[in-house]
Amino acid sequence: MRFRLTLAHLGAPFAGWQRQPNAPTVQATLEEALAKLAGIPVATVAAGRTDAGVHARGQVVHLDLDRPLPAAALVHGLNHHLPASVRILAAAPATDGFHARYSATAREYRYRIVRARVVDPFRAPFAWQLDGSLALDAIRSATALLVGRHDFAAFALAGGAHRTSVRTLLHAAWEEDDDELALRLVGDGFLRGMVRGLVGTLIEVGQGRREPASIAALLAGEARAAAGPTAPAHGLCLERVCYPAALGGPEWEAGARPDRRSGALC
Amino acid sequence: MRFRLTLAHLGAPFAGWQRQPNAPTVQATLEEALAKLAGIPVATVAAGRTDAGVHARGQVVHLDLDRPLPAAALVHGLNHHLPASVRILAAAPATDGFHARYSATAREYRYRIVRARVVDPFRAPFAWQLDGSLALDAIRSATALLVGRHDFAAFALAGGAHRTSVRTLLHAAWEEDDDELALRLVGDGFLRGMVRGLVGTLIEVGQGRREPASIAALLAGEARAAAGPTAPAHGLCLERVCYPAALGGPEWEAGARPDRRSGALC
């Protein structure tokens, strides 16, 4: 019986989602809690294989259990065994054919920047601290060029094991709130390090060190070295994953207004 | 030369403000950073002697230096030596006669509650998780009885070393936002554990285990055992400290609207 979990976790304690030797990962932590609950090893598959230090508010995971279990027992049983840095927010039996990674139609990421010389300890773990002026109009023009179907190889880190570097960006917009700036990206998929490569490059545009139009050349096949640096991991959060309505949704809607608390678009 | 600092810190890493043997405190951490910067030991005095686990967004501290130092050098020099869990947000030369504790006219505390069975790891360290129904109208009636000049001994923990247990509560109101509930209290001073004793008692009212009118008897001299339990420390935050305008302010104004980001009333 396949279950679908929605999971939130802090980035700092983990070397990313994917299990690896000699480093604490979200997958290993979750599978350890699952083994305690189920009494046998249980494998998990996540929608987004987040990098070390990246946070998640709405990671989606599937797993198969031999025997049926009430969804509430799965939520509270797992949370009992998990550290406080990982929480199962929801669980439900998966629709037939549901696969957390392959069924996903859209992933939504948010990258937070605080523009201040001093950042309080409540926000510092969740935002890139960036002092100095930024030309927001230039950043916005450059960002608009990213939307659509493109080869994003110039923004990706090596090691992602992707078959193709072509992805469709469905939505890309900056939100400003007092001294905070956040980039919300929704795409059908993201290459390894792609969001942070995009942010590092767009910030170069804002700092006047790169023309907005240079984005077009990067999308036309330039090398990684031609793009900007990879922005720090702790500013990034996987906010939400979308699925077709037939597989339980939530679907992504281009015109949908962000949810008040999470700000998520789907 | 006397300086005034505004400081934010996380609660979890510290056994409260006040220096004590064999436990990490905010005062000891700050004075260690100051000694590195000044080259000699420097004592500090804080407006609010917060308890272990209580957060602060706007603690105010004074200290005396032998030689003048630019305020910016004090901010950035101290932040360089402080752990990320403590940040100096501002520094300024103090007005003649300024004393962080004795000059303060009002302190503002905020206590956050999340009403949910599962709380994500981003909010859990900053709010008391409380599942089940609460009668908000009853809580609000009880809260209104607290405003004014009263003997709050029934709500305080032992060991505060206060000369009197009479304090004036200037403002007490609950704010509701989705699944969050927060009590904002402004008073001329607070006894040790008083905010958390008030919260624990008001929640008993909300749970139907105590009449709103019982607050009057508690304020009329009942013992600590007659009030409710002390709510957990991690829900509490010292938001702001107010001073007379002649000492640099900010003054507390009864009708002032909360600041958008910090929500502070002064």
Side-chain angles (χ1 to χ4, degrees):
Chain A
M1 185 179 184
R2 179 159 290 188
F3 282 90
R4 165 186 172 161
L5 306 178
T6 306
L7 171 156
H9 66 81
L10 300 179
F14 301 105
W17 164 261
Q18 198 153 7
R19 182 185 280 279
Q20 51 182 283
N22 308 319
T25 65
V26 184
Q27 183 178 27
T29 304
L30 176 61
E31 290 180 358
E32 196 180 310
L34 265 167
K36 284 181 188 158
L37 192 70
I40 51 163
V42 179
T44 61
V45 173
R49 286 163 294 175
T50 48
D51 273 348
V54 174
H55 313 281
R57 287 183 186 276
Q59 173 72 282
V60 175
V61 173
H62 82 240
L63 56 98
D64 297 312
L65 293 180
D66 284 344
R67 55 190 175 91
L69 195 69
L74 199 50
V75 171
H76 302 300
L78 283 176
N79 283 335
H80 175 75
H81 292 297
L82 285 167
S85 52
V86 183
R87 284 296 95 173
I88 307 299
L89 305 181
T95 315
D96 272 352
F98 178 87
H99 187 286
R101 186 180 319 152
Y102 301 136
S103 305
T105 51
R107 283 124 174 127
E108 178 181 342
Y109 280 93
R110 190 158 182 262
Y111 195 96
R112 283 172 76 183
I113 291 169
V114 182
R115 302 171 66 187
R117 180 135 182 225
V118 180
V119 180
D120 71 56
F122 302 93
R123 287 195 290 161
F126 305 107
W128 185 17
Q129 183 183 346
L130 206 59
D131 203 18
S133 68
L134 287 176
L136 272 180
D137 287 351
I139 291 181
R140 289 201 161 102
S141 323
T143 304
L145 299 175
L146 297 167
V147 177
R149 187 165 174 78
H150 304 288
D151 184 342
F152 288 95
F155 302 97
L157 292 172
H162 307 289
R163 281 169 306 170
T164 160
S165 49
V166 174
R167 294 289 183 277
T168 300
L169 208 57
L170 301 159
H171 174 94
W174 289 88
E175 293 157 10
E176 220 186 336
D177 179 16
D178 198 24
D179 62 354
E180 271 201 41
L181 205 56
L183 175 63
R184 182 180 303 281
L185 292 179
V186 182
D188 63 351
F190 291 88
L191 306 172
R192 179 158 182 261
M194 173 176 153
V195 177
R196 294 154 60 202
L198 289 170
V199 170
T201 307
L202 293 170
I203 290 304
E204 283 194 341
V205 169
Q207 291 169 335
R209 295 155 60 199
R210 169 188 296 277
E211 288 300 313
S214 72
I215 297 293
L218 290 166
L219 293 173
E222 282 195 313
R224 178 67 187 86
T230 301
H234 72 275
L236 184 58
C237 184
L238 172 58
E239 295 280 338
R240 199 80 74 104
V241 186
C242 302
Y243 295 91
L247 293 179
E251 289 187 282
W252 184 69
E253 293 174 57
R257 297 305 310 155
D259 171 87
R260 191 169 57 94
R261 177 168 296 277
S262 76
L265 275 166
C266 67
Chain B
M1 185 176 184
R2 181 159 290 187
F3 282 90
R4 165 184 172 163
L5 306 178
T6 306
L7 174 154
H9 67 80
L10 300 180
F14 301 105
W17 164 260
Q18 198 153 7
R19 183 185 280 280
Q20 51 182 282
N22 308 322
T25 65
V26 185
Q27 183 178 27
T29 304
L30 176 60
E31 291 180 357
E32 196 180 310
L34 265 168
K36 284 182 187 158
L37 192 69
I40 51 165
V42 179
T44 61
V45 173
R49 286 164 293 175
T50 47
D51 273 348
V54 174
H55 313 282
R57 286 183 186 275
Q59 173 71 283
V60 175
V61 173
H62 82 241
L63 56 98
D64 297 312
L65 293 180
D66 285 343
R67 56 190 175 88
L69 195 70
L74 198 52
V75 171
H76 302 299
L78 283 175
N79 282 335
H80 176 74
H81 292 298
L82 285 167
S85 52
V86 183
R87 284 296 93 173
I88 307 297
L89 303 180
T95 315
D96 273 353
F98 177 88
H99 187 287
R101 187 180 317 151
Y102 301 136
S103 305
T105 51
R107 281 121 175 133
E108 179 181 342
Y109 280 93
R110 189 159 182 265
Y111 195 97
R112 283 171 77 184
I113 291 168
V114 182
R115 302 171 66 186
R117 179 134 185 224
V118 180
V119 181
D120 71 56
F122 303 92
R123 287 195 291 162
F126 305 106
W128 185 16
Q129 184 183 345
L130 206 58
D131 203 18
S133 68
L134 288 175
L136 272 179
D137 286 350
I139 291 182
R140 289 202 161 102
S141 325
T143 304
L145 299 175
L146 297 167
V147 177
R149 187 166 174 79
H150 304 287
D151 184 342
F152 287 96
F155 302 98
L157 293 173
H162 307 288
R163 282 169 307 170
T164 160
S165 51
V166 174
R167 294 289 183 278
T168 300
L169 207 57
L170 301 159
H171 175 95
W174 289 87
E175 294 157 10
E176 220 184 335
D177 179 16
D178 197 25
D179 63 354
E180 270 200 42
L181 206 54
L183 175 63
R184 184 181 301 281
L185 293 179
V186 182
D188 64 350
F190 290 87
L191 307 172
R192 178 157 183 261
M194 174 177 151
V195 176
R196 293 154 58 203
L198 288 169
V199 170
T201 307
L202 292 169
I203 291 303
E204 282 194 344
V205 169
Q207 292 169 335
R209 296 155 58 200
R210 167 188 296 278
E211 287 300 312
S214 72
I215 297 293
L218 290 166
L219 293 173
E222 282 194 312
R224 177 67 187 87
T230 300
H234 71 276
L236 184 58
C237 183
L238 171 58
E239 294 280 338
R240 199 80 73 106
V241 186
C242 301
Y243 295 92
L247 293 179
E251 289 186 283
W252 183 68
E253 292 173 58
R257 296 305 310 155
D259 170 88
R260 188 169 58 93
R261 178 169 294 279
S262 76
L265 275 167
C266 69

